[in-house]
Amino acid sequence: MPCDLLSLNKSELNNEFKEMNLPKFRINQIYSWLHQKLVSDYSEMTNIPVQLRQQLSEQYPLLVPRRVRAAQSSIDGTVKFLYSLYDGDYVESVLMKYKYGYTVCVSSQVGCKMGCAFCASTLGGFKRHLTAGEMLEQVYLAQKYAGERISHIVLMGMGEPLDNAENVFKFIEMVSNEDGLNISMRSISLSTSGVVPGIKLLLDRRYPLTLSVSLHAPNDEIRNRIMPVNKKYPVSELMEICREYSLITSRRISFEYAMINGLNDSDKAARELGLMLKGMLCHVNLIPINKVNGSPFSPSPQARVKSFGDILSKYGISVTVRRKLGSDIDASCGQLRRKVKQEEGIE
């Protein structure tokens, strides 16, 4: 892989350009063009000498993802992007409009190792980690498409963020830095399937972001069936670090719970979940899953979702049902990538 200039913070960029003897103001200009003005080609850096632009282009080609598709929902305006990466593989991101502004859902890996049974990201297998620059560009390209500032980021796209912790942490620091888009960490949510060592690393960093844990089951018996990660980090171990995280950070954890018809949506499961989470600083987000081709699972009926939420509320747990966005454009993680690869005969 060539040097990924987009993944270098300002200090690293200074070190990279030492041999070129560039003045500091020039390096600051280049960084600003990339991370504030969001240009994707050196030719757009109009206050940089033409000769230097040409030299940079030859020595440091910008590995900017190329947009292949942008599917916009006719129902709610959600936009699903499919990008081609420098190595020819694909990654997805989603742009969502809310009353408070635009949120972009960012992918952290090409594919996923976690193997969650109801998720399209895992069906194509894991290919590689995304760099910090490739994650940043998902935000930058979405902002340019929207024509408005992105106010919130959710790391809930393809991949497991804490399986790519080093690059993800760098992405968080760069996108929240005043030299970049300066998006508050309080406006960033990171979702994990329950990689306990990764949560510990996150706790050590004390980022004031929102931790979302994809729980999807109240016990090992059910969770083992749909989330292989649970065999390595069982529910009891996951709950222990989650309680520690919320106590030390005083930040509310969001537990994501995909409602799967006939599997994890019974009243008994709701009561078990309520007892497990009672007293913790947390919130439960019930998610009616999208139907994925090749998956045997279907979403719980609306009445079942309501009953499940009502039971949790009796345990004093804050509950919401996630609004289903982009159902007409394959907005679930990995769906569009998989469809395109099938069309190309790759998968």
Side-chain angles (χ1 to χ4, degrees), residues 18 43 51 87 115 120 136 152 157 161 163 173 182 185 188 233 254-256 273 276 278 280 284 309 316 318 321 333:
K18 265 184 180 178
S43 63
Q51 188 176 356
D87 58 1
L136 287 166
H152 289 70
D163 184 46
E173 290 171 1
N182 199 21
M185 284 194 191
I188 298 175
Y233 309 113
S254 177
F255 288 103
E256 310 291 306
L273 182 63
M276 184 169 69
K278 187 176 181 180
M280 189 189 301
V284 174
S318 171
V321 178
C333 303

Side-chain angles (χ1 to χ4, degrees), residues 122-141:
T122 193
L123 295 175
F126 171 78
K127 295 298 179 66
R128 67 174 177 87
H129 298 312
L130 292 179
T131 66
E134 288 170 327
M135 286 180 265
L136 287 166
E137 280 297 323
Q138 293 174 56
V139 182
Y140 298 170
L141 292 169

Side-chain angles (χ1 to χ4, degrees), residues 46-98:
T46 52
N47 61 353
I48 307 295
V50 173
Q51 188 176 356
L52 177 56
R53 280 186 263 165
Q54 186 174 349
Q55 183 182 359
L56 290 170
S57 181
E58 292 170 357
Q59 291 185 272
Y60 299 97
L62 295 177
L63 306 180
V64 178
R66 178 176 61 86
R67 192 175 77 219
V68 176
R69 294 192 185 181
Q72 184 159 359
S73 170
S74 60
I75 299 171
D76 51 50
T78 297
V79 185
K80 179 69 170 279
F81 300 108
L82 183 72
Y83 297 112
S84 175
L85 304 174
Y86 77 94
D87 58 1
D89 214 316
Y90 299 105
V91 73
E92 303 173 0
S93 67
V94 181
L95 179 67
M96 298 163 285
K97 180 70 180 287
Y98 294 97

Side-chain angles (χ1 to χ4, degrees), residues 161-175:
L162 294 182
D163 184 46
N164 184 20
E166 183 179 348
N167 289 330
V168 165
F169 292 164
K170 191 171 191 181
F171 159 77
I172 291 169
E173 290 171 1
M174 288 180 72
V175 82

Side-chain angles (χ1 to χ4, degrees), residues 28 34 56 77 89 107 114 116 127 191 198 222 280 282 313 331 334 345:
N28 289 341
L34 293 174
L56 290 170
D89 214 316
S107 293
M114 295 300 109
C116 299
K127 295 298 179 66
S191 179
I222 298 175
M280 189 189 301
C282 69
S313 295

Side-chain angles (χ1 to χ4, degrees), residues 109-334:
Q109 295 176 316
V110 181
C112 187
K113 297 177 186 177
M114 295 300 109
C116 299
F118 50 86
C119 180
S121 291
T122 193
L123 295 175
F126 171 78
K127 295 298 179 66
R128 67 174 177 87
H129 298 312
L130 292 179
T131 66
E134 288 170 327
M135 286 180 265
L136 287 166
E137 280 297 323
Q138 293 174 56
V139 182
Y140 298 170
L141 292 169
Q143 179 160 307
K144 288 197 284 187
Y145 183 93
E148 293 182 34
R149 176 176 168 80
I150 297 295
S151 61
H152 289 70
I153 295 170
V154 291
L155 281 152
M156 296 182 182
M158 292 169 54
E160 164 56 61
L162 294 182
D163 184 46
N164 184 20
E166 183 179 348
N167 289 330
V168 165
F169 292 164
K170 191 171 191 181
F171 159 77
I172 291 169
E173 290 171 1
M174 288 180 72
V175 82
S176 61
N177 194 281
E178 61 182 8
D179 292 323
L181 287 187
N182 199 21
I183 296 174
S184 169
M185 284 194 191
R186 293 184 181 276
S187 298
I188 298 175
S189 295
L190 183 150
S191 179
T192 178
S193 61
V195 180
V196 170
I199 297 174
K200 290 178 180 177
L201 287 175
L202 192 62
L203 179 56
D204 290 340
R205 299 228 169 195
R206 298 292 198 277
Y207 293 148
L209 49 70
T210 297
L211 175 63
S212 294
V213 177
S214 296
L215 188 57
H216 308 317
N219 57 53
D220 290 332
E221 180 185 358
I222 298 175
R223 204 164 190 262
N224 283 342
R225 291 173 60 186
I226 56 176
M227 300 185 72
V229 68
N230 194 72
K231 295 172 184 176
K232 192 169 185 179
Y233 309 113
V235 170
S236 59
E237 190 176 342
L238 177 58
M239 286 301 104
E240 183 180 354
I241 186 61
C242 285
R243 287 187 179 277
E244 182 182 354
Y245 187 95
S246 64
L247 282 170
I248 291 175
T249 64
S250 297
R251 292 192 62 79
R252 186 176 73 167
I253 293 178
S254 177
F255 288 103
E256 310 291 306
Y257 198 98
M259 297 294 292
I260 305 172
N261 190 30
L263 179 67
N264 65 351
D265 60 350
S266 67
D267 288 354
K268 180 183 176 184
R271 289 191 291 270
E272 192 172 355
L273 182 63
L275 283 170
M276 184 169 69
L277 300 182
K278 187 176 181 180
M280 189 189 301
L281 183 61
C282 69
H283 172 86
V284 174
N285 196 9
L286 300 179
I287 308 166
I289 64 168
N290 285 314
K291 180 64 179 173
V292 174
N293 290 334
S295 170
F297 302 114
S298 59
S300 302
Q302 191 173 352
R304 183 94 294 275
V305 175
K306 185 180 184 307
S307 176
F308 197 96
D310 288 344
I311 291 171
L312 289 178
S313 295
K314 291 177 182 176
Y315 287 86
I317 296 167
S318 171
V319 183
T320 54
V321 178
R322 180 184 290 176
R323 184 160 62 99
K324 202 170 183 178
L325 297 176
S327 58
D328 59 330
I329 56 166
D330 297 313
S332 288
C333 303

